[in-house]
Amino acid sequence: MPFTYRGDRLFATRKADANARNEEGGRDLLELARGTEGPFYVYALSDVLARARRLRASFGGQSASLHYAMKANGNPVLLRALAREGLGVDTVSGGEIEEALAAGFAPGAIIFSGAGKTVREVDFAVRSGIKQINVESPQELERIAHAARRSNRVADVAFRMNPDVSPRTHPYITTGFRENKFGMDESFIPELRRVLAAHRDSLRLRGLTLHIGSQLTELDSLEEAITKTLPVFRAFRAEGHALDRFDIGGGLGIDYSSDETAGEFALIEEYGRLANRLLGPEDCETLCEPGRILVARAGLLVGQVQYVKTTPHKTFAILDTGMHHLLRPALYGARHRVFPLEKRPDAEPRAYDVVGPICESSDFLAKDVPLPRVEPGDYLAIADAGAYGYSMASRYNRHALPIEVVLD
Ligand code: LLP
């Protein structure tokens, strides 16, 4: 995590001084919080860019294109920096395509994924001349063909396959299992062939794509999924389609219970090696769609304690931020670590439930976390909140959205 304590205060550290104790530099987060009105997300941009470089390096000399899954964090400053860094982007709505273009991604760097693309969105994507539409059904393929005909273009498409694998992750974020709405199994192939043949002048099949799930901490299911999908890739090629891309999706996970990054860095290495081993012999461009692994660690959500409420059963720290700003604990039972921006050195830790102002009992950010004594007015930081934090935030109960601060 690019945030560390210096004495009793939490600082944002730059990559270069992350390991250098007692060195000046970095940003005092308490000072930042005191100067900021209301709860906020803070992102360490240099950490995101370092991870993008690490991921790119894991593919070695192989031809690989990184398409950042902007649903994880669509902050415009971050997007601009990733575009400048030479990444592409994976989008899932017309709104995301618009914001990606505004952030400086070239149309040729944009992939459009998602199971429910509307006519308007497909039209917009085709007219914008984006790199590839990841197709989720024969009906969608038909829709794309009509859009291409209307705008007198040829649309580049990839078929999203559902390889029926079941990675060990939360059931809400597995996507490559036969019971999920995503992708297509082999029974769809005859119909896909028919639509392709009927719209030869409007469609170009460029590749296949997979995304089997998110927060994966091992890659055996991904290996199984690619292995199961390769025969389909080869079969389409044998039929004369010039497939030159294989998209392995995103999904790399982190260990939310610890600061230790060795495991996720090893996973990144393994990801590149796996892609090279399985796809190298196919002579194609490898595409991937990483989200969380690039941005989760780089973000904190900071809120201020409004009340400390002690009942015979529990002690609650009630903040000005909650499930409306970070939904992951309420939705998936996700556990994020909590850090006070300033520790009381003399205080014995005790267990707190860190909760928000929303009128629901699912409004918690952490349960039973040991913290040094907390008082109203203190600030608490929720760790590893850079992915699927702000991007899933709402104005439920008519609270304002949090502010976002990008540190560079
Ligand atoms: N590609 C596609 C087609 C996806 O649907 C996703 C994520 C990604 C790439 C990026 O996956 P990542 O590398 O971030 O795992 N809200 C949940 C995660 C939902 C993921 C949705 N799809 C969470 O907070 O854990």
Side-chain angles (χ1 to χ4, degrees):
M1 176 168 92
F3 305 97
T4 48
Y5 280 104
R6 224 167 262 165
D8 297 329
R9 296 252 192 124
L10 194 63
F11 273 70
T13 46
R14 288 180 56 86
K15 186 104 191 98
D17 53 42
N19 297 319
R21 265 171 289 154
N22 301 324
E23 196 174 303
E24 286 310 311
R27 185 74 182 260
D28 179 348
L29 295 178
L30 187 60
E31 214 176 87
L32 179 64
R34 285 182 177 146
T36 306
E37 181 71 38
F40 63 96
Y41 276 94
V42 54
Y43 310 126
L45 183 57
S46 56
D47 192 63
V48 177
L49 296 177
R51 281 164 177 265
R53 288 173 197 142
R54 184 182 282 273
L55 187 57
R56 184 182 286 133
S58 80
F59 290 93
Q62 284 283 127
S63 157
S65 303
L66 273 50
H67 290 269
Y68 168 58
M70 66 178 278
K71 66 169 81 65
N73 185 330
N75 177 278
V77 176
L78 204 119
L79 290 182
R80 272 199 292 279
L82 289 171
R84 268 200 308 272
E85 183 65 27
L87 271 78
V89 65
D90 174 51
T91 62
V92 286
S93 67
E96 284 197 349
I97 297 175
E98 274 178 39
E99 290 182 21
L101 289 168
F105 288 99
I110 301 177
I111 291 177
F112 186 20
S113 305
K117 305 176 188 80
T118 64
V119 171
R120 268 172 84 93
E121 289 176 315
V122 169
D123 265 330
F124 177 50
V126 171
R127 266 189 287 110
S128 304
I130 66 167
K131 174 172 179 170
Q132 168 177 312
I133 302 181
N134 288 351
V135 180
E136 298 258 2
S137 68
Q139 297 100 300
E140 183 192 327
L141 186 62
E142 194 109 42
R143 202 170 258 196
I144 297 167
H146 291 304
R149 173 124 352 115
R150 273 195 296 276
S151 60
N152 213 6
R153 284 174 174 269
V154 181
D156 284 322
V157 298
F159 293 158
R160 178 164 178 185
M161 304 311 291
N162 183 324
D164 186 22
V165 296
S166 183
R168 281 174 287 277
T169 185
H170 192 283
Y172 290 4
I173 52 178
T174 61
T175 49
F177 186 49
R178 59 176 176 270
E179 291 180 9
N180 302 138
K181 72 179 172 190
F182 299 99
M184 300 172 279
D185 66 18
E186 294 193 24
S187 69
F188 283 81
I189 292 176
E191 183 61 4
L192 290 170
R193 272 202 200 103
R194 192 195 61 74
V195 180
L196 274 180
H199 300 280
R200 230 180 284 271
D201 302 335
S202 316
L203 299 171
R204 196 159 40 209
L205 177 60
R206 297 297 297 269
L208 298 184
T209 172
L210 294 168
H211 172 73
I212 61 167
S214 195
Q215 182 53 15
L216 311 177
T217 48
E218 1 179 79
L219 299 181
D220 41 350
S221 299
L222 180 62
E223 172 160 9
E224 186 189 342
I226 298 174
T227 308
K228 277 182 155 178
T229 306
L230 273 173
V232 182
F233 187 79
R234 294 179 190 135
F236 275 117
R237 271 183 165 176
E239 289 166 25
H241 297 286
L243 281 75
D244 57 355
R245 299 173 184 160
F246 197 111
D247 180 348
I248 61 174
L252 297 183
I254 65 160
D255 179 359
Y256 282 94
S257 73
S258 132
D259 235 3
E260 190 46 70
T261 51
E264 68 215 47
F265 289 167
L267 197 69
I268 290 176
E269 291 301 315
E270 198 187 327
Y271 186 67
R273 262 203 313 275
L274 178 72
N276 287 352
R277 176 161 57 80
L278 298 181
L279 300 175
E282 304 300 322
D283 187 27
C284 61
E285 177 189 358
T286 301
L287 273 52
C288 64
E289 303 166 359
R292 184 189 325 262
I293 195 74
L294 297 183
V295 292
R297 294 284 197 192
L300 295 178
L301 170 63
V302 178
Q304 188 174 31
V305 179
Q306 305 300 306
Y307 303 98
V308 175
K309 187 169 179 177
T310 305
T311 76
H313 311 286
K314 288 268 188 191
T315 301
F316 296 99
I318 304 178
L319 306 191
D320 55 0
T321 183
M323 68 182 291
H324 52 316
H325 295 162
L326 180 65
L327 187 59
R328 303 192 71 258
L331 189 58
Y332 315 111
R335 289 163 180 254
H336 288 253
R337 293 166 303 142
V338 181
F339 298 99
L341 293 194
E342 186 171 41
K343 287 193 278 196
R344 284 202 173 72
D346 56 330
E348 273 292 294
R350 58 194 291 185
Y352 288 86
D353 276 16
V354 178
V355 301
I358 299 295
C359 301
E360 299 221 17
S361 293
S362 60
D363 180 22
F364 58 89
L365 293 170
K367 284 191 170 175
D368 280 323
V369 284
L371 293 171
R373 193 179 73 248
V374 166
E375 290 182 2
D378 290 356
Y379 293 93
L380 296 181
I382 316 301
D384 306 324
Y388 306 107
Y390 188 91
S391 64
M392 292 173 77
S394 76
R395 291 203 48 216
Y396 188 34
N397 285 194
R398 254 25 214 160
H399 288 286
L401 288 170
I403 289 166
E404 295 178 284
V405 180
V406 183
L407 301 179
D408 181 9

